Amino acid sequence: MKTMDANASRVDPKLLELLVCPLTKGRLSYDAEAHELVSERARLAYPIRDGVPIMLVSEARKIED
């Protein structure tokens, strides 16, 4: 089984400043525990795979109340 390097799942803070939600164009917050970028406004969480944010609405997880 392949172990994941802790640095591979981190997002560069400069990149986070540039990225916005593709749906709302709003800011994203980084959830380090879930390895996701969260758009509170759209109620979506975008996955980060191998250190690469997947900024597709179709790949995002809906945030339930």
Side-chain angles (χ1 to χ4, degrees):
M1 189 167 158
K2 188 171 113 175
T3 58
M4 189 164 171
D5 181 358
N7 289 331
S9 63
R10 295 175 113 189
V11 177
D12 183 334
K14 290 179 184 174
L15 180 61
L16 186 53
E17 287 178 24
L18 297 173
L19 288 174
V20 296
C21 174
L23 190 63
T24 66
K25 308 297 186 244
R27 298 188 127 225
L28 299 167
S29 59
Y30 176 48
D31 182 343
E33 193 173 298
H35 305 293
E36 296 174 325
L37 293 177
V38 177
S39 171
E40 295 291 339
R41 205 159 134 208
R43 312 275 303 144
L44 293 172
Y46 298 93
I48 299 169
R49 298 187 188 130
D50 298 321
V52 179
I54 310 300
M55 304 305 298
L56 299 171
V57 174
S58 62
E59 292 288 317
R61 176 179 63 83
K62 289 181 182 170
I63 298 172
E64 305 294 332
D65 286 329

